[in-house]
Short mmCIF file of all heavy atoms in Angstrom, two decimals:
data_model
loop_
_atom_site.label_atom_id
_atom_site.label_comp_id
_atom_site.label_asym_id
_atom_site.label_seq_id
_atom_site.Cartn_x
_atom_site.Cartn_y
_atom_site.Cartn_z
N VAL A 177 -6.84 19.24 2.49
CA VAL A 177 -7.66 19.41 3.67
C VAL A 177 -8.21 20.80 3.94
O VAL A 177 -7.51 21.78 4.07
CB VAL A 177 -6.89 18.99 4.91
CG1 VAL A 177 -7.58 19.08 6.17
CG2 VAL A 177 -6.12 17.70 4.74
N GLY A 178 -9.58 20.95 3.82
CA GLY A 178 -10.20 22.15 4.21
C GLY A 178 -10.21 23.27 3.32
O GLY A 178 -11.20 24.01 3.24
N VAL A 179 -9.19 23.56 2.45
CA VAL A 179 -9.07 24.70 1.53
C VAL A 179 -9.46 24.09 0.15
O VAL A 179 -8.96 23.23 -0.30
CB VAL A 179 -7.74 25.21 1.66
CG1 VAL A 179 -7.66 26.47 0.70
CG2 VAL A 179 -7.29 25.61 3.03
N LYS A 180 -10.33 24.82 -0.53
CA LYS A 180 -10.82 24.47 -1.79
C LYS A 180 -10.12 25.29 -2.93
O LYS A 180 -9.72 26.39 -2.67
CB LYS A 180 -12.23 24.67 -1.94
CG LYS A 180 -13.15 23.81 -0.95
CD LYS A 180 -14.59 24.11 -1.14
CE LYS A 180 -15.36 23.36 -0.07
NZ LYS A 180 -16.89 23.62 -0.23
N GLU A 181 -9.93 24.57 -3.93
CA GLU A 181 -9.29 25.13 -5.16
C GLU A 181 -10.19 25.49 -6.11
O GLU A 181 -10.86 24.74 -6.78
CB GLU A 181 -8.17 24.22 -5.69
CG GLU A 181 -7.52 24.84 -7.08
CD GLU A 181 -6.61 23.72 -7.57
OE1 GLU A 181 -6.52 22.62 -7.08
OE2 GLU A 181 -5.95 24.07 -8.58
N ASN A 182 -10.52 26.77 -6.45
CA ASN A 182 -11.52 27.23 -7.55
C ASN A 182 -11.39 28.74 -7.57
O ASN A 182 -11.17 29.37 -6.56
CB ASN A 182 -12.76 26.91 -7.12
CG ASN A 182 -13.65 26.34 -8.39
OD1 ASN A 182 -13.36 26.87 -9.44
ND2 ASN A 182 -14.42 25.35 -8.19
N ASN A 183 -11.58 29.31 -8.69
CA ASN A 183 -11.65 30.75 -8.97
C ASN A 183 -13.16 31.18 -8.76
O ASN A 183 -13.78 31.38 -9.66
CB ASN A 183 -11.11 31.17 -10.32
CG ASN A 183 -9.62 30.84 -10.35
OD1 ASN A 183 -8.93 30.61 -9.40
ND2 ASN A 183 -9.14 30.86 -11.63
N ASP A 184 -13.53 31.08 -7.43
CA ASP A 184 -14.93 31.26 -7.19
C ASP A 184 -15.00 31.91 -5.82
O ASP A 184 -14.29 31.65 -4.89
CB ASP A 184 -15.61 29.79 -7.03
CG ASP A 184 -17.04 29.92 -6.72
OD1 ASP A 184 -17.52 30.63 -5.83
OD2 ASP A 184 -17.84 29.19 -7.33
N ASN A 185 -15.81 32.98 -5.70
CA ASN A 185 -15.91 33.76 -4.52
C ASN A 185 -16.36 33.01 -3.27
O ASN A 185 -16.23 33.51 -2.22
CB ASN A 185 -16.79 35.01 -4.73
CG ASN A 185 -16.05 35.98 -5.65
OD1 ASN A 185 -14.89 36.12 -5.71
ND2 ASN A 185 -17.01 36.76 -6.34
N THR A 186 -16.90 31.82 -3.43
CA THR A 186 -17.27 31.12 -2.32
C THR A 186 -16.08 30.23 -1.75
O THR A 186 -16.27 29.74 -0.55
CB THR A 186 -18.33 30.06 -2.66
OG1 THR A 186 -17.88 29.18 -3.60
CG2 THR A 186 -19.61 30.72 -3.21
N ASN A 187 -14.96 30.15 -2.28
CA ASN A 187 -13.84 29.54 -1.86
C ASN A 187 -12.68 30.42 -1.27
O ASN A 187 -12.66 31.51 -1.61
CB ASN A 187 -13.29 28.54 -3.07
CG ASN A 187 -14.41 27.54 -3.37
OD1 ASN A 187 -15.01 27.05 -2.52
ND2 ASN A 187 -14.48 27.27 -4.60
N ASN A 188 -11.67 29.82 -0.79
CA ASN A 188 -10.71 30.52 -0.11
C ASN A 188 -9.57 31.08 -0.75
O ASN A 188 -9.03 32.13 -0.62
CB ASN A 188 -10.21 29.73 1.11
CG ASN A 188 -11.16 29.45 2.23
OD1 ASN A 188 -12.15 30.20 2.29
ND2 ASN A 188 -11.07 28.37 2.85
N ILE A 189 -9.02 30.29 -1.75
CA ILE A 189 -7.86 30.63 -2.36
C ILE A 189 -7.82 30.43 -3.89
O ILE A 189 -8.49 29.56 -4.48
CB ILE A 189 -6.74 29.60 -1.85
CG1 ILE A 189 -6.37 29.82 -0.38
CG2 ILE A 189 -5.36 29.84 -2.69
CD1 ILE A 189 -5.34 29.03 0.27
N ILE A 190 -7.29 31.44 -4.56
CA ILE A 190 -7.18 31.32 -6.02
C ILE A 190 -5.65 31.26 -6.39
O ILE A 190 -4.97 32.07 -5.78
CB ILE A 190 -8.02 32.28 -6.70
CG1 ILE A 190 -7.72 33.74 -6.33
CG2 ILE A 190 -9.51 32.05 -6.57
CD1 ILE A 190 -8.39 34.81 -7.19
N VAL A 191 -5.37 30.61 -7.41
CA VAL A 191 -3.92 30.59 -7.89
C VAL A 191 -4.00 30.80 -9.43
O VAL A 191 -4.64 29.96 -10.08
CB VAL A 191 -3.20 29.21 -7.57
CG1 VAL A 191 -1.88 29.20 -8.20
CG2 VAL A 191 -3.12 29.01 -6.02
N TYR A 192 -3.41 31.81 -9.91
CA TYR A 192 -3.56 32.19 -11.29
C TYR A 192 -2.27 33.01 -11.79
O TYR A 192 -1.64 33.57 -10.92
CB TYR A 192 -4.79 32.94 -11.61
CG TYR A 192 -4.82 34.28 -10.77
CD1 TYR A 192 -4.51 35.55 -11.36
CD2 TYR A 192 -5.29 34.35 -9.33
CE1 TYR A 192 -4.48 36.64 -10.70
CE2 TYR A 192 -5.24 35.53 -8.66
CZ TYR A 192 -4.80 36.71 -9.32
OH TYR A 192 -4.85 37.85 -8.60
N PRO A 193 -2.02 33.09 -13.06
CA PRO A 193 -2.43 32.23 -14.19
C PRO A 193 -1.81 30.87 -14.07
O PRO A 193 -0.79 30.75 -13.53
CB PRO A 193 -2.10 32.88 -15.36
CG PRO A 193 -0.81 33.60 -15.07
CD PRO A 193 -0.98 34.10 -13.60
N ASN A 194 -2.51 29.84 -14.60
CA ASN A 194 -2.04 28.43 -14.44
C ASN A 194 -2.57 27.63 -15.51
O ASN A 194 -3.80 27.42 -15.68
CB ASN A 194 -2.38 27.83 -13.13
CG ASN A 194 -1.69 26.41 -12.83
OD1 ASN A 194 -0.64 26.25 -13.46
ND2 ASN A 194 -2.23 25.70 -12.02
N PRO A 195 -1.75 27.38 -16.65
CA PRO A 195 -0.30 27.54 -16.70
C PRO A 195 0.14 28.92 -16.78
O PRO A 195 -0.60 29.75 -17.06
CB PRO A 195 0.12 26.79 -18.03
CG PRO A 195 -1.16 25.95 -18.38
CD PRO A 195 -2.41 26.64 -17.79
N SER A 196 1.50 29.07 -16.58
CA SER A 196 2.00 30.44 -16.47
C SER A 196 3.44 30.29 -17.22
O SER A 196 3.93 29.23 -17.42
CB SER A 196 2.17 31.12 -15.11
OG SER A 196 3.18 30.42 -14.41
N ASN A 197 4.13 31.55 -17.19
CA ASN A 197 5.58 31.53 -17.72
C ASN A 197 6.41 31.35 -16.45
O ASN A 197 7.74 31.66 -16.60
CB ASN A 197 5.78 32.89 -18.46
CG ASN A 197 5.57 34.01 -17.51
OD1 ASN A 197 5.32 33.91 -16.24
ND2 ASN A 197 5.83 35.26 -18.04
N GLY A 198 6.07 30.99 -15.36
CA GLY A 198 6.88 30.92 -14.17
C GLY A 198 6.52 31.86 -13.03
O GLY A 198 6.94 31.82 -11.98
N ILE A 199 5.69 32.81 -13.36
CA ILE A 199 5.25 33.85 -12.38
C ILE A 199 3.78 33.80 -12.24
O ILE A 199 3.10 33.93 -13.21
CB ILE A 199 5.55 35.35 -12.76
CG1 ILE A 199 7.20 35.42 -12.96
CG2 ILE A 199 5.11 36.27 -11.68
CD1 ILE A 199 7.57 36.78 -13.52
N PHE A 200 3.31 33.35 -11.01
CA PHE A 200 1.85 33.19 -10.79
C PHE A 200 1.43 33.88 -9.53
O PHE A 200 2.27 34.33 -8.71
CB PHE A 200 1.46 31.75 -10.81
CG PHE A 200 2.27 30.87 -9.65
CD1 PHE A 200 1.67 30.79 -8.41
CD2 PHE A 200 3.51 30.37 -9.98
CE1 PHE A 200 2.31 30.14 -7.47
CE2 PHE A 200 4.04 29.69 -8.94
CZ PHE A 200 3.57 29.55 -7.77
N ASN A 201 0.21 34.00 -9.30
CA ASN A 201 -0.31 34.77 -8.06
C ASN A 201 -1.09 33.89 -7.26
O ASN A 201 -1.78 33.03 -7.61
CB ASN A 201 -1.24 35.98 -8.57
CG ASN A 201 -0.43 37.03 -9.49
OD1 ASN A 201 0.59 37.48 -8.97
ND2 ASN A 201 -0.84 37.19 -10.68
N VAL A 202 -0.92 34.28 -5.92
CA VAL A 202 -1.79 33.59 -4.90
C VAL A 202 -2.67 34.68 -4.15
O VAL A 202 -2.07 35.75 -3.84
CB VAL A 202 -0.95 32.79 -3.91
CG1 VAL A 202 -1.89 32.07 -2.77
CG2 VAL A 202 -0.09 31.80 -4.57
N GLU A 203 -3.88 34.34 -3.95
CA GLU A 203 -4.69 35.31 -3.36
C GLU A 203 -5.90 34.61 -2.57
O GLU A 203 -6.41 33.64 -3.04
CB GLU A 203 -5.34 36.23 -4.53
CG GLU A 203 -6.23 37.42 -3.90
CD GLU A 203 -6.77 38.26 -5.06
OE1 GLU A 203 -6.39 38.05 -6.20
OE2 GLU A 203 -7.57 39.13 -4.82
N LEU A 204 -6.28 35.32 -1.38
CA LEU A 204 -7.34 34.86 -0.59
C LEU A 204 -8.57 35.51 -1.07
O LEU A 204 -8.53 36.69 -1.30
CB LEU A 204 -7.12 35.05 0.88
CG LEU A 204 -6.14 34.24 1.62
CD1 LEU A 204 -5.97 34.71 3.05
CD2 LEU A 204 -6.62 32.78 1.68
N ASN A 205 -9.72 34.72 -1.12
CA ASN A 205 -11.00 35.30 -1.51
C ASN A 205 -11.69 35.70 -0.24
O ASN A 205 -12.50 36.70 -0.33
CB ASN A 205 -11.72 34.34 -2.34
CG ASN A 205 -11.67 34.53 -3.79
OD1 ASN A 205 -11.16 35.51 -4.22
ND2 ASN A 205 -12.05 33.53 -4.50
N ASN A 206 -11.53 35.02 0.86
CA ASN A 206 -12.33 35.36 2.06
C ASN A 206 -11.28 35.82 3.20
O ASN A 206 -10.15 35.32 3.29
CB ASN A 206 -12.95 34.15 2.57
CG ASN A 206 -13.97 33.56 1.63
OD1 ASN A 206 -14.60 34.36 0.87
ND2 ASN A 206 -14.16 32.24 1.69
N LYS A 207 -11.69 36.82 3.88
CA LYS A 207 -10.80 37.36 4.95
C LYS A 207 -10.64 36.33 6.02
O LYS A 207 -11.53 35.62 6.37
CB LYS A 207 -11.55 38.66 5.47
CG LYS A 207 -11.55 39.94 4.55
CD LYS A 207 -12.03 41.11 5.12
CE LYS A 207 -12.05 42.18 4.24
NZ LYS A 207 -12.58 43.48 4.81
N THR A 208 -9.37 36.35 6.54
CA THR A 208 -8.94 35.52 7.67
C THR A 208 -7.86 36.18 8.35
O THR A 208 -7.12 37.00 7.93
CB THR A 208 -8.48 34.09 7.06
OG1 THR A 208 -8.14 33.21 8.16
CG2 THR A 208 -7.32 34.32 6.15
N THR A 209 -7.61 35.67 9.63
CA THR A 209 -6.56 36.21 10.42
C THR A 209 -5.49 35.13 10.62
O THR A 209 -4.56 35.29 11.39
CB THR A 209 -7.13 36.45 11.86
OG1 THR A 209 -7.67 35.38 12.48
CG2 THR A 209 -8.12 37.68 11.83
N ILE A 210 -5.63 34.08 9.86
CA ILE A 210 -4.68 32.90 9.96
C ILE A 210 -3.60 33.13 8.85
O ILE A 210 -3.86 33.42 7.72
CB ILE A 210 -5.39 31.52 9.81
CG1 ILE A 210 -6.46 31.37 10.98
CG2 ILE A 210 -4.36 30.49 9.77
CD1 ILE A 210 -7.16 30.12 10.74
N ASP A 211 -2.34 32.92 9.28
CA ASP A 211 -1.28 33.07 8.25
C ASP A 211 -1.04 31.74 7.64
O ASP A 211 -1.42 30.72 8.08
CB ASP A 211 0.05 33.54 9.12
CG ASP A 211 -0.14 34.95 9.72
OD1 ASP A 211 -0.83 35.75 9.12
OD2 ASP A 211 0.62 35.17 10.65
N TYR A 212 -0.30 31.78 6.51
CA TYR A 212 -0.04 30.70 5.71
C TYR A 212 1.44 30.50 5.51
O TYR A 212 2.19 31.49 5.34
CB TYR A 212 -0.64 30.69 4.38
CG TYR A 212 -2.20 30.47 4.28
CD1 TYR A 212 -3.05 31.49 4.63
CD2 TYR A 212 -2.68 29.25 3.85
CE1 TYR A 212 -4.38 31.30 4.59
CE2 TYR A 212 -4.01 29.04 3.84
CZ TYR A 212 -4.97 29.97 4.26
OH TYR A 212 -6.26 29.78 4.18
N SER A 213 1.97 29.24 5.46
CA SER A 213 3.25 28.99 4.94
C SER A 213 3.16 28.23 3.59
O SER A 213 2.05 27.68 3.30
CB SER A 213 4.00 28.05 5.84
OG SER A 213 3.44 26.84 6.01
N TYR A 214 4.17 28.35 2.71
CA TYR A 214 3.97 27.70 1.43
C TYR A 214 5.37 26.98 1.06
O TYR A 214 6.44 27.48 1.46
CB TYR A 214 3.49 28.59 0.30
CG TYR A 214 4.43 29.57 -0.21
CD1 TYR A 214 5.43 29.38 -1.23
CD2 TYR A 214 4.40 31.00 0.38
CE1 TYR A 214 6.22 30.30 -1.64
CE2 TYR A 214 5.29 31.91 -0.14
CZ TYR A 214 6.17 31.58 -1.02
OH TYR A 214 7.03 32.57 -1.51
N GLN A 215 5.31 26.01 0.28
CA GLN A 215 6.46 25.33 -0.46
C GLN A 215 6.14 25.16 -1.79
O GLN A 215 4.99 24.91 -2.26
CB GLN A 215 6.64 24.04 0.33
CG GLN A 215 7.17 24.05 1.73
CD GLN A 215 7.31 22.69 2.32
OE1 GLN A 215 6.74 21.70 1.87
NE2 GLN A 215 8.09 22.57 3.47
N ILE A 216 7.24 25.22 -2.62
CA ILE A 216 7.13 24.81 -4.06
C ILE A 216 7.99 23.58 -4.14
O ILE A 216 9.08 23.50 -3.76
CB ILE A 216 7.80 25.91 -4.95
CG1 ILE A 216 7.11 27.21 -4.81
CG2 ILE A 216 7.60 25.44 -6.35
CD1 ILE A 216 5.57 27.22 -5.20
N ILE A 217 7.33 22.45 -4.77
CA ILE A 217 7.93 21.19 -4.76
C ILE A 217 8.09 20.76 -6.20
O ILE A 217 7.20 20.90 -7.00
CB ILE A 217 7.10 20.07 -4.05
CG1 ILE A 217 6.87 20.59 -2.61
CG2 ILE A 217 7.72 18.72 -4.05
CD1 ILE A 217 5.72 19.83 -1.84
N ASN A 218 9.34 20.39 -6.63
CA ASN A 218 9.65 20.01 -8.09
C ASN A 218 9.11 18.63 -8.33
O ASN A 218 8.52 17.87 -7.46
CB ASN A 218 10.93 20.30 -8.44
CG ASN A 218 11.99 19.29 -7.77
OD1 ASN A 218 11.62 18.43 -7.15
ND2 ASN A 218 13.18 19.79 -7.78
#
Side-chain angles (χ1 to χ4, degrees):
V177 183
V179 182
K180 298 180 181 179
E181 175 184 3
N182 217 327
N183 294 348
D184 182 318
N185 287 333
T186 63
N187 293 324
N188 292 335
I189 293 175
I190 54 175
V191 176
Y192 62 94
N194 193 19
S196 75
N197 62 0
I199 303 174
F200 59 93
N201 300 300
V202 179
E203 184 177 352
L204 285 176
N205 268 341
N206 298 332
K207 290 185 178 181
T208 179
T209 58
I210 299 175
D211 296 335
Y212 283 80
S213 64
Y214 72 86
Q215 294 178 338
I216 304 295
I217 303 166
N218 65 17

